[in-house]
Amino acid sequence: MLTSADPDSILIQGPRIVDPGRGMDAIGDILITGGKIVSAGPRLSPADLPEGCRPIPANGMVAAPGFIDLHCHLREPGYEYKETIATGTRAAARGGFTSICCMPNTDPPLDNEAAVALVQQRARAEGVVRVFPIGCVTKGRRGKELAELEELAAAGVVAYSDDGDPVYDPNLMRLALTYTLDLGLPISNHCQEHRLCPGGVMAEGWAATRLGLPGIPAAAEEAMIARDLALAELTGGWLHLAHLSTAGAVALVRQARERGVSVTTEVCPHHLSLTDDWALGYQGTPDGGSGPLNYDTSTKVYPPLRGRQDVDALIEGLADGVIDCIATDHAPHEAASKQVTYQEAAFGISVFETALGSLMALVHRGQISLSTLVDRLTVGPARVLGPSFEELATLHPGSPADVVLFDPDLDWVVDTGEFASKGRNTPLEGVALKGRVVTTFVEGKVVHQDSLY
Amino acid sequence: MVSPEAAEIRATPPIPEAIPDFAPDGKLRRNVLDLDDFSAAEILSVLDGTAAMGEVLRRDIKKVPTLRGRVVVTLFYEPSTRTRISFEEAGKVLSADVINMSTSGSSVEKGESLLNTGLTLQAMGVDVIVIRHPHSGAPYLLARHLPRVCVINAGDGLHAHPTQALLDLYTIREKVGRLQNVKVVIVGDVLHSRVARSALWGLTQAGARVTLCGPTTLLPLDLLNCGDERDEGHPFAQVEVNTDLDRAIEDADVVMALRLQSERQSGGFLPSLREYIRRWQVTESRLERAKPGALVMHPGPMNEGVEISTGIAHGGHSVIEEQVTNGVAVRMALLYRLCAQPSAEKLETAG
């Protein structure tokens, strides 16, 4: 193990190493050399260390494989006023994400090789984490004809999605699932039966009725999930369900899994922690339940924030593995698109930089274990992305040194003024979280170092 | 309490002395957004103020100098006749300068956002913005971002129409003599009615008993089921729902018919107008089941022959015209309440 003097060697000393891919959860050391993991396990003696190796004390911290995000919006090309690859990847790094998959609802959309290549080039030139584009299912995201899916696969997309909109035509969805059988990539669908929620802007229920806002019933999501599960069963195609938000959706997936349907799923941090009544604006206020209605547009997101029972069912599904992974659906927006009426406001939350803090609440409350949480942020998404991503989801010696170091117990208050993301649109502004990313490494290089440390 | 100048003008018989300046609990009010933040006492004090303003409206010369030098802008993003004119008249009777801003022909047509329009009006020194907007919550957006302007909601989306509800409460109190324990049946498209929603807050707060009646597709059942159970703490725990108008109307003191928009049929909420009329029109024969002398109300504009029969609309039970008259007085009382408050510093603390 002893190597010659290497100025690029880093020793992360004494963290709790949580590496679910190897079933590891123990205090130890991590030695990184030349951008690769040399060792991540028991404490090393000084004799084992290369000369000139830089020590990073990490007592009390958690070290884990860098997080992988299956679902984010980097907005470039076309919406650089909302986010760019440069700012979006820095926000990801601040959130502990080292690999992110960006959705193709850009302008132009990523429905051809050249558009995909542009994103890849920009990511190499300006990004600080690994960026994997997702390609469109249909040309122009118009839902009429399939995009050139093999060309997109050859260009390096990791999945297909018309995210922002569903693949609405059931026959086209069937054909997409069938055509991709030999391409080995999933179709990620944004499930929303628009006709069940005309004008809908938040979850149907007490809060929406109280605010006089058109609701989106759970059935709008569940009806299309049920359709897609039937189509996946019919075709044998690989269906990935984006951002589950309802208890009924979890139940549908659970049943489909039992029948052996080839389906993978994700859930977003906000659907695991926030409820629809946050739109009233009572949270975070001193009196917590009175005062004028807020119509907090930062809570407007698709799928909408829902009720406590849905949140509980999603946490349960995440804990028992019916839900494979956590994906951020990081959806940054410029301030003006949220400083309007709730009905006019854009859908989406800027999630990267609050993801870990809000997810750690589940661990602190004992709803999931730390290693399950890390699994759903690493091994889970890597499984959806395929075998070539396995090494990005583990600290196994020889793998690229994509590592996140976080303080699981640090109390901090969200201040969007500190965000690297251009999108300050989060209902968590001013909210206290416990758990914060300290350092993020991509291939052994520090891409984020928290200012508090 | 008012500026020395205004106090001087008071010497010419101004508004009656009976008008209370402040909320009874001493809390100043900056905005009127909905009735959900009005206590019963505050509602009653507004109604007392309304009675005094009604006296001004019955004078030969309907003009008092009370709000001289105040600027009121009506900012309407939706068509309106009665509400807008009612506010305009209320402001002018009180000698405020009333400016009507309509969205066509203004910067709104050039794509100016609501917030920027509001900031512009604030910069011009406007005292009160009366806003109607098709989106729920639009007045809240202005209220949150305009610290130097009072905002009155003249109807926002499906959400609220507090001045209409107050004039309804006033009309009921004037005609029935009280609000406590008065049985009010609200019939029709409650789901899409901001009038009904604000009335629900005001009526329940004032102790009236409310029954909602209409097609199940047009009732806001989620509003009544907070969470999964109707606990006692729920503001609408005592509100009843009965889709059978013949039953719902029994012993009613007040029947409030709501406007049925024709697009409800094309939207699939109703099989046909014919079936709606058969089941939910307020008719002479149905009204016989209510208390003798029961009031019939309608927020207007009416579809005679749909939600209300022509005979009832113009018959002896109808107080629909009184509602309109009282609307001016209610809006005078509210404008006075917001504008004639003491000092800007104190307003700051009112939140």
Side-chain angles (χ1 to χ4, degrees), chain A residues 352-367:
Chain A
F352 276 147
E353 292 161 81
T354 57
L356 180 73
S358 59
L359 292 166
M360 280 303 294
L362 308 184
V363 176
H364 292 307
R365 282 199 299 264
Q367 290 170 299

Side-chain angles (χ1 to χ4, degrees), chain A residues 209-210 212 294-295 341 343, chain B residues 36 135-136 144 159 197 222:
Chain A
T209 313
R210 179 77 182 78
N294 187 301
Y295 287 90
T341 65
Q343 280 156 284
Chain B
D36 56 354
H135 290 167
S136 301
R144 202 159 61 248
H159 176 247
R197 286 169 195 237
D222 283 325

Side-chain angles (χ1 to χ4, degrees), chain B residues 267-287:
Chain B
F269 292 94
L270 298 168
S272 70
L273 280 186
R274 193 164 153 264
E275 181 152 316
Y276 181 86
I277 290 164
R278 195 167 66 242
R279 298 184 69 184
W280 291 289
Q281 187 183 76
V282 178
T283 61
E284 285 83 347
S285 61
R286 285 197 164 116
L287 203 57

Side-chain angles (χ1 to χ4, degrees), chain B residues 130-202:
Chain B
V130 176
I131 177 175
R132 166 168 292 189
H133 199 282
H135 290 167
S136 301
Y140 291 75
L141 181 72
L142 291 187
R144 202 159 61 248
H145 289 97
L146 305 182
R148 300 195 301 278
V149 176
C150 300
V151 177
I152 300 182
N153 183 359
D156 65 324
L158 306 181
H159 176 247
H161 195 349
T163 61
Q164 175 72 40
L166 285 168
L167 75 87
D168 290 341
L169 290 172
Y170 180 79
T171 307
I172 294 170
R173 195 178 71 157
E174 194 184 35
K175 293 287 174 181
V176 182
R178 63 188 156 86
L179 289 166
Q180 192 71 36
N181 266 324
V182 169
K183 178 175 175 182
V184 181
V185 182
I186 303 178
V187 194
D189 182 3
V190 184
L191 184 67
H192 299 97
S193 173
R194 56 195 176 203
V195 174
R197 286 169 195 237
S198 285
L200 209 47
W201 283 108

Side-chain angles (χ1 to χ4, degrees), chain A residues 380-416:
Chain A
R383 193 166 51 234
V384 177
L385 291 167
S388 62
F389 283 79
E390 253 171 48
E391 61 169 14
L392 295 180
T394 172
L395 300 176
H396 193 273
S399 350
D402 289 10
V403 182
V404 57
L405 203 55
F406 62 91
D407 182 335
D409 298 314
L410 184 82
D411 292 302
W412 60 290
V413 173
V414 178
D415 172 6
T416 52

